[in-house]
């Protein structure tokens, strides 16, 4: 299988994990370029990943780049994903897919129109320990599930001017942020959600 030539878009903190995953999955993936609005940040990540920093427009125009990984602020996902899909590229977008349902629907429609893959980085189902738990549950090894609980804590300190502190850019809190991994695993283990309430 030929490697998928991929560009990493957005070189902030989450791009470290994506870059590491891309390196660990060579030769399935070739990191063709990185891109960030701050050139010095892009250049630093390019050196770390042994690739080049390029502009967004140059990446869109390069037909040799087959896919992009979007690690940008949440409110930019829709625009960048649609531009990439329209340019004929597959898109993996860091969660959440979008900040609202209308934007998510527009992204899905663009992927359908372009006949390209659009995927959100819900990575936990690919973790070997979670796959083992799922296999054991599906095989009935521990019997029927009568109750499940997931706790989520993330000790994350951000400066007050960080984009995640802006509700318009973040689009929500822990439910669409890192906590969604717990919700996704509960759905995978226990089945779809029938009712939601909070107190």
């Amino acid at each position: 299988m030929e490697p998928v030539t991929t560009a990493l878009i957005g070189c902030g903190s989450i791009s470290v994990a994506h870059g590491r995953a891309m390196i660990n999955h060579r030769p399935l993936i070739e990191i063709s370029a990185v891109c960030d609005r701050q050139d010095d940040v892009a250049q630093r990540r390019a050196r770390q990943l042994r690739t080049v920093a390029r502009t967004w427009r140059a990446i869109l125009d390069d037909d040799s780049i087959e896919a992009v990984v979007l690690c940008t602020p949440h409110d930019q996902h829709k625009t960048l994903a649609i531009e990439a899909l329209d340019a004929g590229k597959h898109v993996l977008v860091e969660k959440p897919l979008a900040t609202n349902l209308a934007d998510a629907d527009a992204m899905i429609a663009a992927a359908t129109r372009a006949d390209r893959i659009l995927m959100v980085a819900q990575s936990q189902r690919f973790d070997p320990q979670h796959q083992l738990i799922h296999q054991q549950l599906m095989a009935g090894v521990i019997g029927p599930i009568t109750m499940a609980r997931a706790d989520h804590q993330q000790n994350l300190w951000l400066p007050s001017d960080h984009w995640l502190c802006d509700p318009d850019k973040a689009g929500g809190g822990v439910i669409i942020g890192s906590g969604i991994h717990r919700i996704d695993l509960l759905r995978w283990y226990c089945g779809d959600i029938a009712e939601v309430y909070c107190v």
Side-chain angles (χ1 to χ4, degrees):
M1 176 179 165
E2 291 295 316
V4 178
T5 53
T6 306
L8 181 63
I9 313 303
C11 295
S13 59
I14 197 62
S15 73
V16 175
H18 282 274
R20 183 171 51 247
M22 292 164 80
I23 288 170
N24 289 341
H25 286 86
R26 286 178 174 153
L28 298 176
I29 290 179
E30 176 188 328
I31 307 172
S32 299
V34 300
C35 174
D36 195 276
R37 290 184 300 179
Q38 298 178 47
D39 186 60
D40 59 326
V41 174
Q43 295 291 346
R44 182 169 58 251
R45 184 71 75 238
R47 285 191 299 274
Q48 292 167 345
L49 298 175
R50 296 187 176 93
T51 189
V52 296
R54 299 179 69 188
T55 67
W56 176 237
R57 178 50 51 193
I59 289 169
L60 289 180
D61 291 342
D62 188 341
D63 291 338
S64 73
I65 297 177
E66 302 169 88
V68 297
V69 177
L70 298 181
C71 295
T72 60
H74 304 163
D75 63 326
Q76 297 173 17
H77 289 179
K78 175 194 171 190
T79 300
L80 296 176
I82 292 174
E83 287 178 0
L85 291 161
D86 286 345
K89 302 184 188 315
H90 303 291
V91 176
L92 176 67
V93 59
E94 177 56 40
K95 62 174 177 31
L97 180 62
T99 57
N100 60 64
L101 183 58
D103 285 358
D105 286 342
M107 294 163 71
I108 293 166
T112 301
R113 183 175 65 245
D115 193 26
R116 291 296 179 264
I117 295 170
L118 169 67
M119 181 177 174
V120 66
Q122 287 290 150
S123 58
Q124 297 297 295
R125 293 188 188 201
F126 301 98
D127 187 309
Q129 67 181 348
H130 297 145
Q131 289 183 340
L132 177 62
I133 292 168
H134 183 260
Q135 290 165 1
Q136 298 292 301
L137 290 170
M138 295 305 103
V141 172
I142 65 169
I145 299 173
T146 58
M147 198 269 270
R149 170 182 168 158
D151 293 322
H152 180 78
Q153 296 178 351
Q154 187 174 26
N155 187 15
L156 181 65
W157 180 89
L158 296 170
S160 60
D161 61 347
H162 191 279
W163 66 265
L164 268 173
C165 298
D166 182 338
D168 293 330
K169 291 181 177 162
V174 71
I175 296 299
I176 71 166
S178 55
I180 195 62
H181 286 308
R182 301 294 147 279
I183 296 169
D184 184 57
L185 285 173
L186 285 176
R187 290 182 60 229
W188 196 36
Y189 296 157
C190 305
D192 266 336
I193 297 166
E195 181 180 356
V196 175
Y197 76 96
C198 72
V199 292

